Amino acid sequence: MDCKTYKSVLKLDKGTACTAWNYCGQRLAAGTVDGTLAVFDSTDPASSSFRCSSRVKVHKAGILKVVWVPPEYGDAVACIFYDGGFSICEEAGEDSHSVQWKLCEFFNRGSSKVLDIQFGVSPTSLKMVSTYSDGYIQVYELSNPLELKNWQLQAEFQNVIDSISTFRKASCLSASISWNPMRGGQELSFIMGFNSDTPQLNSSKVWEFDGAHQRWLPVAELALPEERGDRVYSAAWAPNIGRPYELIAVATERGIAIWHIGLNPDLDGRLPMERVALLSGHEGEVWQMEWDMSGMTLATTGSDGVVRFWQSNSNGVWQGQATFVHTS
Amino acid sequence: MPETAPAGGEVVPMSSGHGQPLAPRLSICWSRGNSLRVSLFSLASFEDEAGGEVVEVKLCDGGDGEISNAQWRTIAYDSVSPFAMLQNRRNSMSSFSNINPSPYHLECWEYMMDYSKDINVLLGNKKSSVDSLIEDPDIFLKKTEEPTCLKAAWELMEMFYVNKLSQAWLPERIVDWLADYDRLFAALHGTVHMKVMNFQNVHNDIEVYEDDLRYWDVIESALAVGWLEIVVKMLRRHGSYQLDQLSNRETENGLVEAVALLISKMPRMRSELEPGRLGECYKAKPDFIKAWDKWRGQITKLDSCAFWIQCHHGQTREGLKKLLQILLGNTNSLLAATTNWLELCVSHLIYIRPFTVGLESMYNLAQNCIQLKPMSSPHKLMNIIIGILGENTEVVLAECSKEFGPWMVAHAIELLTVGSNEAESLLHEERYNLGEISLEELHRLAYAQVLSSHALTWQIAPVYLSSCMKHGMGLLEILLYKQPVQLKELLLKNLEICRLYDLDDCSSNIMKMAGVYHWKHGRKGSGIYWLQQARDEFRLNKIAQQLFASVGKSISDESFKQWEGLIGLLDSESNAAGGFEFLHKYRDFKRSLQQIGDGKNDIAAQKAIDSLMLLMRNTSTPQRFWLPLLNDSLKLLNWQHRPLLSVSNTNLLLNKLQELSSARLHPGFVKPDLPAEALNSVRLALATNLGRAILEE
C-alpha cells in the first residue's frame, strides 16, 4: 500500500540540513549548513500554516542535527555542528518583549566529534547523553532545572559490555542513542549503538542507571552472538503504554531488527530479550527510525529516500504496511 | 558536488562515504496521532533557490473517498455518545451478571440494537429506491441521494449480528437491503437498478410498451429481486389498459391484470409492510406456508388456464409467462433475470427458499449463486457478505478495516461479538504479541490514534481510550503530553481531561511544562502560578534562590519594584518553600523602610526595625543576606531621636555579626556585593545603639 494522502506543511530555507519538531508538533527547528537555526511556528494548533519566527546564526560551522530539549526545561534545542562541537540554544527573555533565541552553552571535546545527543527526563533531573567519534559516551546532568547553562558530567564510558576493556583508537562514523521514552518512577535507561571500525563498540546495548551505586550499567546487548560486530545505523526505543515487554528497533546492514526486552532482569542482572523480526525493504543504510505515539507503527527512512511503515499483525508478525516516496 | 561545511571545521564532501556519512535527504517525525511529517532536503543543490519542504503523510485510513474528511469528523463526533452509552450499559450489565451469569440476556440484545440503530442513523437517512411514486406515472424509481457503502455495510452487520429477534424474517430483510443498496453495485457490474433507471430514461420514446422487449426484460428483473411495486406499476402501463383498446384486448388485459393482482397479493413472511408496499404480510411460518401454497396454486392455475390461447399478442403472452415462471421459482428464469450473484441469491430467497435462516444454508446458497454468476473482482460489500455468511469474523474485520478504516472497525466490533462465542474469544482474547491486549482494544487504540491526529477530534479520543482497559490510559497520557501548553484554553481543557481520568501525575507534569514555558518567556507571574499548581517545589525553590540572588546583588528601589509583584504572587500558604517566607518579610521590610521618608517618622522607623528583627530571627533568612539587610538598616541603627533597638535585640544582631565573621572562614561562603567598610559601619552602628539602649533602659 502506498501512502497517497500527503500535503505540504512548510517550505524550508535553502541550505537546510536538518530539522526537528518539538513535543507538540507546533514548532520546527531547522539547522542550515551556514550555522543558522531557524524556528517555524504555528500559533493556532488547529491550523497547519507555519511561519518563521526566528533566524539566528548560532555557530560558524553548519548544523548537522537538531534535537529538542524536553518541554519541562523550556523551549530549547541542542545543535550538533559539522566541526564536531555542539551547543544548547534556548528561547527565553526577561519579559515577553525580549524573548529571543540565544546560546546557553557550547560543548567541544577537542579532536573527537560529537555524533549524537539525546535527552532523558527523570522525575528530578534532566540527563543528556552525547556520543563521540572516539567511541565514548558522556552522560551530563543539569544542575538547575531553570538554567540550561550548568551541566555536570556524570559519567563517561564506552559502549562495551565488559567495562575493563577500552578502545582508544576507535573511529566512529555515526552513533544512535534512544532513551526509554517513558516518564515515571523507573530507573532511566537508553539504548546505544555505533557505526564504527571497532566491532566491540558497535552492537546496541541497553544502559541503565544504577541509582544505588550511581553508575551506568549495560543490562542487555541487542545482537545475536554472530552479529555483534555489525555496524548499527539507527536504534529506536518504542513508547510502552502497557506492554509486558519493551520494544526496540535496531537497524544494521542486515535489516531492521525488532526486539522484545523483558522488564525484569534475570539473576545476572541482564534483561531477557528476543529478536522477533528482521525486516528488510530499504536499499542501503537506514538513517532514522521513529515509533509512533502508541509504539504500534515504526516509520523508517534511509539512503534510498523512501519512508517505510512497519506494523505487527494480530499474530505478532511484523511486516511492511506502507511506503512513501516523494515525487516532486 | 558542493561542500556542506562552508565555515570552520573540516570540509565534508557530500558525495563521499568516507569520514562523515552522507547527510540524510529525508528526516521524519511523528506528529500527533498517525500523521508523519517528512522533511525533504535539497542539499545537493545548495545553489538552488529551493530549500526543500516539509510534507505531512497520513497512513491510509482505508475508504475510497466516498466520505469526505469533514463528514468523517461529523460521524466521529456523533458516534461518541452511542459508543459511550453502550460501554456504560455494558459495564452496569457486567456487574449485574455477577449475580446472574447470563451474558446474553434479553436486555443485552436491546441495548446492542439501540446502539446499532443510533450509529445507523448518523450514517445518513434511509433512501429507499423502490418507493414508487403513485403521483407521477412516468417515474418508476425515485432519484434519491446516492447511498453510501458505509451505511450499507453497517446495516448488513446489524441485520446479521444484532437483530436476532427477527431472524425468521431474514430473507425479506435481505430483499429490502438489496432494494436500498442495489445501485451501489452499479459501478462494477450491471444491476437491476441500472436496468430500471435506463428504461425510465427512455420509456417516453416507446410508443407501444408491450411490443418492446426492454419493457418485459425490466419487469422480469424487477420481479426477480422482489420490487413488486415497480413491477405492478409497469404492468399497468400495458397498452391493453388504454380505454380505446380495452374492448379488443379484453382477454389480454385480463391476463395482465391477473398477473399484476397475483403479484400484489404475494405472501411475504415479515414483521410488517410499510404503507404502499405490495404483498401480504405474514408474521408466522404456518400462516405463511398456508398462504404461500394457496398463492402458488393460483399461479399454477393461471399458468395452465385456457385464456392464454385467446391472447393474441405474442410478446405479452411470452412476457407474462416468464413472469409466472419467476413467481414459480424457475431457476433458469431467475438466473436470466438477475445480473449478479447477489441479486440471484436474493431471487432464490424470495421464490425458492423463503425459509432459509441459518447462516450455513445461506452461505451454501451464496456459493451456488457465485458459481452461476462468477465475477472477477467482487464488490467490497459482497466480500463482507461472504465473510458474514461464512461466519468468518476475521474476514469481516479485515474487510471493514481495509475498506472503511478504523472508525468502522472500532464501532463494528461491538456488533460482531453479540452472541457469538467464537467471535467473542477471537476479539476479546488477550494476545502476548499485541502486548497482552485483545484485538478489540487494539482497534480502539488505533481509532483513538486516528482521532488524535486532528486538532478538531483529539478531544474525543479519551472516550475510546477509557474503554481500553490495559493500554488506554498509557496512550491517553502520551496524547495529553503532546498538546501545546502555551494556549490557556487548550491547557485548561487538557487539565480537565486529566482530572476526569485521575491522571494526577500527568496533570502536574503538564502544569510544570506550562510554568516553565511562561517563566522562560518573560511571564514570570504565570510561570510561578503554574509551578505552584504543579507543586513543583524543586523549581519554585530555584526561583526563590534566583530572587535571593537578585536581592543580594542590588536592593535599589527599581529592582525592588520589579520583583515585588512576583513575591506578591508567591502565596506562602500554598507552598512550603521556606524561601518565600523570607521574600515576603523582606518585601514588608523594604516597604516600611521606604515609608520612613525624611528620617523623622518614629512610628514608621519602629515598624521597619520590627520587620528587620522578624527577618533576622527567622531561620529561613539566608545567611548571605544578613549583612546587606543590616547595611540597608544603617539609618535605623543610627536613628537620631532615640535608639530603636532594645538591648537584647542589639545583642542578637551583634551575635549574628559574630556568626557571620566565623562563617567567612567556610569555603562555601558567599561574599555579599557590598563596600568593604559595610561590616565596620554596621558593627559601629550596633555598638552605638547598644550604648544608647543601655542608657535608656
Side-chain angles (χ1 to χ4, degrees):
Chain A
M1 174 170 68
D2 285 340
C3 284
K4 297 239 167 57
T5 53
Y6 74 92
K7 59 173 182 187
S8 182
V9 174
L10 60 87
K11 296 273 178 235
L12 294 167
D13 292 350
K14 75 173 185 175
T16 301
C18 53
T19 55
W21 287 94
N22 77 340
Y23 70 101
C24 60
Q26 302 281 302
R27 311 196 89 180
L28 176 82
T32 65
V33 291
D34 68 350
T36 301
L37 176 70
V39 177
F40 296 83
D41 276 314
S42 151
T43 42
D44 176 11
S47 104
S48 55
S49 74
F50 290 83
R51 59 177 184 82
C52 184
S53 62
S54 162
R55 269 189 197 92
V56 186
K57 184 151 170 102
V58 291
H59 194 53
K60 58 187 194 300
I63 303 174
L64 191 67
K65 183 170 184 172
V66 187
V67 181
W68 282 90
V69 169
E72 294 95 318
Y73 295 86
D75 276 34
V77 292
C79 297
I80 299 179
F81 302 111
Y82 281 103
D83 64 6
F86 69 98
S87 67
I88 300 201
C89 304
E90 175 185 40
E91 185 187 58
E94 275 308 305
D95 55 60
S96 47
H97 305 294
S98 64
V99 172
Q100 57 178 349
W101 283 87
K102 46 201 156 197
L103 190 73
C104 292
E105 183 75 346
F106 181 76
F107 296 80
N108 197 342
R109 201 165 170 268
S111 59
S112 58
K113 294 178 159 198
V114 67
L115 300 175
D116 194 12
I117 298 172
Q118 293 295 333
F119 295 92
V121 188
S122 83
T124 54
S125 74
L126 176 66
K127 290 192 198 289
M128 173 174 73
V129 178
S130 51
T131 54
Y132 299 90
S133 56
D134 60 1
Y136 275 89
I137 303 167
Q138 287 186 330
V139 185
Y140 288 89
E141 196 173 46
L142 187 65
S143 35
N144 179 348
L146 294 168
E147 296 280 342
L148 291 168
K149 287 190 190 88
N150 302 319
W151 294 88
Q152 281 175 345
L153 182 61
Q154 192 191 44
E156 187 175 58
F157 50 89
Q158 282 191 315
N159 194 33
V160 282
I161 287 281
D162 160 22
S163 58
I164 301 151
S165 35
T166 51
F167 302 91
R168 301 231 169 265
K169 285 184 181 166
S171 166
C172 309
L173 287 174
S174 67
S176 187
I177 313 162
S178 181
W179 283 89
N180 178 350
M182 292 323 276
R183 297 151 189 274
Q186 291 160 350
E187 289 295 0
L188 284 171
S189 48
F190 63 86
I191 175 135
M192 165 79 242
F194 274 104
N195 170 9
S196 81
D197 61 358
T198 311
Q200 292 88 335
L201 293 179
N202 283 344
S203 67
S204 293
K205 284 131 196 142
V206 176
W207 292 90
E208 195 172 271
F209 190 64
D210 169 15
H213 302 96
Q214 291 291 303
R215 60 182 177 170
W216 287 90
L217 289 175
V219 288
E221 183 176 14
L222 301 191
L224 300 181
E226 64 277 16
E227 297 172 5
R228 282 190 179 145
D230 289 0
R231 291 164 182 263
V232 171
Y233 301 137
S234 183
W237 196 315
N240 187 353
I241 55 174
R243 281 186 309 266
Y245 49 83
E246 295 291 340
L247 200 56
I248 296 177
V250 175
T252 65
E253 59 205 342
R254 289 175 210 266
I256 297 164
I258 306 284
W259 291 84
H260 281 185
I261 315 292
L263 300 181
N264 300 311
D266 55 25
L267 291 175
D268 312 335
R270 295 285 158 82
L271 295 175
M273 53 186 199
E274 184 196 357
R275 188 172 85 180
V276 294
L278 183 64
L279 308 168
S280 54
H282 281 292
E283 284 170 28
E285 292 179 15
V286 174
W287 278 328
Q288 201 190 358
M289 300 194 288
E290 297 288 328
W291 289 98
D292 70 346
M293 63 193 264
S294 61
M296 292 198 286
T297 309
L298 177 70
T300 59
T301 186
S303 53
D304 59 1
V306 178
V307 180
R308 289 180 184 278
F309 297 88
W310 311 88
Q311 280 176 348
S312 152
N313 68 10
S314 54
N315 297 317
V317 179
W318 284 84
Q319 54 205 11
Q321 200 67 32
T323 55
F324 169 73
V325 187
H326 185 256
T327 45
S328 48
Chain B
M1 276 286 181
E3 296 152 358
T4 55
E10 66 184 284
V11 170
V12 183
M14 282 299 297
S15 55
S16 144
H18 304 294
Q20 204 98 19
L22 290 169
R25 288 193 294 122
L26 293 186
S27 171
I28 51 177
C29 180
W30 287 97
S31 180
R32 281 173 299 175
N34 67 342
S35 63
L36 186 83
R37 289 189 177 147
V38 184
S39 299
L40 309 149
F41 306 111
S42 57
L43 248 190
S45 49
F46 184 47
E47 300 308 318
D48 287 356
E49 279 307 307
E53 65 173 331
V54 181
V55 297
E56 196 164 80
V57 179
K58 277 217 167 133
L59 259 178
C60 289
D61 294 343
D64 49 9
E66 87 167 340
I67 289 167
S68 72
N69 286 341
Q71 280 173 305
W72 270 123
R73 281 198 290 278
T74 310
I75 290 174
Y77 263 95
D78 291 348
S79 43
V80 171
S81 107
F83 180 84
M85 170 113 76
L86 176 68
Q87 300 309 319
N88 283 344
R89 293 173 84 172
R90 180 173 286 163
N91 288 344
S92 54
M93 188 81 181
S94 70
S95 52
F96 172 75
S97 69
N98 285 343
I99 315 158
N100 176 13
S102 158
Y104 306 117
H105 198 262
L106 190 65
E107 198 186 331
C108 173
W109 297 117
E110 278 172 12
Y111 67 62
M112 279 311 301
M113 201 57 216
D114 288 348
Y115 165 75
S116 181
K117 283 197 169 132
D118 287 347
I119 298 280
N120 194 357
V121 165
L122 62 93
L123 294 179
N125 293 324
K126 197 162 188 149
K127 303 283 194 312
S128 180
S129 54
V130 284
D131 276 353
S132 52
L133 280 184
I134 297 170
E135 309 84 52
D136 189 344
D138 280 348
I139 290 181
F140 305 112
L141 267 176
K142 261 194 213 174
K143 273 186 184 158
T144 51
E145 215 176 285
E146 186 76 16
T148 62
C149 289
L150 182 66
K151 190 176 169 72
W154 187 271
E155 285 190 8
L156 265 182
M157 283 185 279
E158 178 181 295
M159 192 156 71
F160 282 100
Y161 294 121
V162 191
N163 202 351
K164 306 259 176 176
L165 293 176
S166 47
Q167 285 296 294
W169 306 313
L170 193 56
E172 278 280 334
R173 290 177 55 81
I174 297 173
V175 172
D176 286 355
W177 181 87
L178 186 73
D180 286 340
Y181 299 110
D182 190 48
R183 58 198 289 190
L184 290 172
F185 301 97
L188 291 175
H189 327 278
T191 57
V192 173
H193 178 269
M194 208 190 231
K195 274 189 177 179
V196 178
M197 286 309 280
N198 288 344
F199 183 75
Q200 185 168 296
N201 292 336
V202 297
H203 79 107
N204 284 331
D205 307 335
I206 301 172
E207 280 179 24
V208 184
Y209 283 99
E210 57 272 25
D211 287 350
D212 197 307
L213 277 178
R214 289 176 292 180
Y215 171 74
W216 294 107
D217 185 43
V218 167
I219 294 179
E220 277 163 39
S221 290
L223 183 64
V225 292
W227 300 354
L228 308 186
E229 299 77 17
I230 292 175
V231 172
V232 170
K233 193 172 180 182
M234 287 182 75
L235 279 177
R236 299 236 161 104
R237 299 296 300 263
H238 192 273
S240 64
Y241 281 95
Q242 287 176 13
L243 289 175
D244 56 339
Q245 308 259 327
L246 215 52
S247 51
N248 300 338
R249 303 167 71 178
E250 202 177 350
T251 313
E252 190 185 342
N253 181 253
L255 284 169
V256 176
E257 184 54 23
V259 171
L261 203 66
L262 273 174
I263 288 172
S264 53
K265 295 281 175 199
M266 179 175 147
R268 309 184 73 166
M269 196 166 70
R270 52 191 294 148
S271 61
E272 57 178 358
L273 261 177
E274 296 89 52
R277 300 286 303 274
L278 298 179
E280 285 185 346
C281 175
Y282 294 91
K283 286 185 185 177
K285 196 172 166 184
D287 296 343
F288 173 77
I289 293 176
K290 229 161 118 190
W292 182 260
D293 289 344
K294 192 178 159 206
W295 180 73
R296 271 286 172 86
Q298 288 168 335
I299 295 170
T300 321
K301 213 168 141 192
L302 178 64
D303 192 29
S304 54
C305 75
F307 291 109
W308 296 105
I309 308 157
Q310 296 166 33
C311 175
H312 302 300
H313 193 271
Q315 261 111 340
T316 301
R317 202 174 50 235
E318 289 305 307
L320 291 178
K321 280 272 188 185
K322 274 187 190 166
L323 294 185
L324 289 184
Q325 284 309 304
I326 288 174
L327 292 174
L328 288 169
N330 181 319
T331 46
N332 290 331
S333 303
L334 295 178
L335 187 64
T338 50
T339 58
N340 59 50
W341 72 259
L342 193 57
E343 289 172 353
L344 180 62
C345 197
V346 163
S347 71
H348 275 243
L349 288 176
I350 302 173
Y351 299 107
I352 303 177
R353 300 157 73 168
F355 308 120
T356 315
V357 282
L359 284 178
E360 198 184 335
S361 50
M362 282 210 188
Y363 181 74
N364 292 336
L365 172 62
Q367 289 299 342
N368 285 340
C369 294
I370 290 171
Q371 275 174 11
L372 291 168
K373 279 194 185 292
M375 50 177 54
S376 51
S377 55
H379 190 271
K380 55 188 170 188
L381 288 170
M382 292 176 172
N383 291 337
I384 291 182
I385 293 173
I386 290 299
I388 293 174
L389 297 180
E391 293 181 83
N392 198 334
T393 313
E394 272 172 313
V395 168
V396 177
L397 210 57
E399 286 294 328
C400 282
S401 170
K402 191 176 87 189
E403 304 295 351
F404 302 106
W407 176 87
M408 180 62 144
V409 185
H411 290 86
I413 276 186
E414 305 294 343
L415 308 185
L416 300 185
T417 48
V418 182
S420 159
N421 288 331
E422 288 87 352
E424 178 95 4
S425 68
L426 174 80
L427 295 169
H428 290 168
E429 177 205 359
E430 285 173 359
R431 299 163 183 229
Y432 179 80
N433 285 323
L434 299 179
E436 285 193 347
I437 56 170
S438 63
L439 276 179
E440 178 184 73
E441 180 160 347
L442 179 80
H443 288 294
R444 282 184 191 162
L445 290 170
Y447 176 57
Q449 216 170 331
V450 171
L451 290 175
S452 309
S453 57
H454 200 283
L456 295 176
T457 52
W458 77 266
Q459 293 177 1
I460 54 178
V463 175
Y464 292 88
L465 290 173
S466 66
S467 72
C468 299
M469 297 316 286
K470 293 211 145 180
H471 291 185
M473 287 301 114
L475 190 57
L476 179 56
E477 282 197 22
I478 293 180
L479 171 63
L480 294 172
Y481 280 129
K482 283 183 177 289
Q483 303 306 318
V485 295
Q486 66 268 31
L487 299 172
K488 197 174 173 202
E489 296 87 64
L490 210 54
L491 177 64
L492 293 177
K493 175 77 199 173
N494 223 354
L495 295 173
E496 171 65 14
I497 295 174
C498 289
R499 197 188 55 77
L500 223 59
Y501 296 102
D502 294 327
L503 301 172
D504 295 341
D505 285 354
C506 183
S507 164
S508 76
N509 274 330
I510 288 168
M511 292 190 280
K512 199 180 289 185
M513 281 155 63
V516 172
Y517 175 82
H518 290 298
W519 175 260
K520 295 259 181 180
H521 286 79
R523 287 182 295 278
K524 309 226 165 191
S526 306
I528 291 176
Y529 171 78
W530 284 114
L531 289 174
Q532 279 179 335
Q533 295 296 306
R535 300 187 182 279
D536 187 350
E537 301 302 335
F538 192 49
R539 282 183 177 80
L540 284 170
N541 274 326
K542 293 287 179 191
I543 287 178
Q545 274 173 27
Q546 214 168 313
L547 288 175
F548 294 165
S550 68
V551 171
K553 264 186 220 150
S554 145
I555 17 184
S556 68
D557 289 345
E558 294 78 50
S559 67
F560 171 69
K561 269 187 197 134
Q562 277 185 355
W563 52 264
E564 197 203 10
L566 287 185
I567 296 168
L569 264 174
L570 301 169
D571 183 352
S572 47
E573 274 175 42
S574 75
N575 75 83
F580 292 127
E581 204 182 327
F582 158 72
L583 287 168
H584 276 279
K585 291 201 170 83
Y586 184 72
R587 181 192 56 185
D588 297 342
F589 167 66
K590 283 291 280 188
R591 265 206 200 125
S592 47
L593 213 54
Q594 279 174 329
Q595 280 161 7
I596 294 169
D598 56 4
K600 283 172 188 153
N601 188 344
D602 279 4
I603 300 167
Q606 190 58 51
K607 222 175 147 189
I609 212 84
D610 291 345
S611 297
L612 174 71
M613 288 316 294
L614 270 177
L615 273 169
M616 294 303 285
R617 282 210 186 94
N618 196 319
T619 45
S620 72
T621 304
Q623 201 182 42
R624 65 174 184 277
F625 293 108
W626 293 356
L627 193 56
L629 281 170
L630 291 169
N631 192 47
D632 270 8
S633 318
L634 272 175
K635 208 201 264 180
L636 299 171
L637 302 179
N638 295 318
W639 199 251
Q640 281 193 338
H641 292 188
R642 59 182 179 86
L644 296 172
L645 282 168
S646 67
V647 177
S648 59
N649 278 346
T650 320
N651 278 329
L652 189 139
L653 295 184
L654 281 167
N655 284 340
K656 290 269 180 189
L657 271 192
Q658 188 59 35
E659 222 177 292
L660 209 53
S661 308
S662 42
R664 280 172 177 273
L665 305 172
H666 286 287
F669 181 77
V670 185
K671 198 165 171 270
D673 189 15
L674 287 173
E677 69 278 7
L679 181 64
N680 285 335
S681 312
V682 169
R683 193 171 278 149
L684 184 66
L686 281 175
T688 317
N689 190 86
L690 183 64
R692 290 169 71 195
I694 290 172
L695 282 177
E696 190 138 296
E697 284 173 23

